[in-house]
Amino acid sequence: MADATDDEGGDDTLDWLLPGHRAAPAEALVRIQRLCAAWPDLHAAMFIVLATHQDLPRDMLAAAIKQFRPDLDPFTREDVVSLLTSIWNGGKSGFDAVLRTRANSPKKGGGGFSWVKE
């Protein structure tokens, strides 16, 4: 019987999901990009990235997700970290509450590092 990866013409296995697997940052970034593109719903995309990349720090996940989700452009990296935390701790309702709060809050301007792009 043929393996499902044989039908797709690739050797993409699920080894990267196994405990203890350490992927190169470039590999993780490509996967995050593909996951963000596959799920049009923001919550679903962030949830699947968080679920499949639990070993990565949330600030790194936030930076990666912001690159591939234009709907997060109005949000700071800190806002996206808060959204990831709300997904983990509060599910969809927690995510929606934090999204509303962050979307309506005034953004800090003038401070911080001018050379860091959010």
Side-chain angles (χ1 to χ4, degrees):
M1 177 172 218
D3 185 90
T5 57
D6 294 338
D7 295 339
E8 297 173 9
D11 60 350
D12 187 24
T13 64
L14 294 179
D15 291 343
W16 62 276
L17 287 172
L18 296 176
H21 178 75
R22 298 285 182 234
E27 294 172 3
L29 199 58
V30 168
R31 283 194 301 271
I32 291 168
Q33 180 180 20
R34 292 177 70 194
L35 292 170
C36 284
W39 273 267
D41 177 67
L42 179 62
H43 174 266
M46 291 181 72
F47 180 82
I48 194 69
V49 169
L50 182 59
T52 57
H53 294 82
Q54 295 178 35
D55 290 342
L56 292 177
R58 289 192 183 148
D59 61 329
M60 292 178 76
L61 284 179
I65 294 169
K66 269 187 67 66
Q67 286 184 50
F68 306 120
R69 292 299 302 215
D71 45 355
L72 289 174
D73 286 347
F75 298 93
T76 66
R77 186 183 312 171
E78 181 182 281
D79 291 339
V80 178
V81 169
S82 294
L83 290 170
L84 288 168
T85 301
S86 71
I87 289 168
W88 193 254
N89 295 328
K92 178 76 166 120
S93 61
F95 171 81
D96 289 340
V98 171
L99 185 63
R100 279 191 306 274
T101 302
R102 296 296 176 147
N104 294 328
S105 69
K107 301 302 172 202
K108 298 174 187 168
F113 302 106
S114 60
W115 62 89
V116 176
K117 181 182 176 199
E118 286 293 331

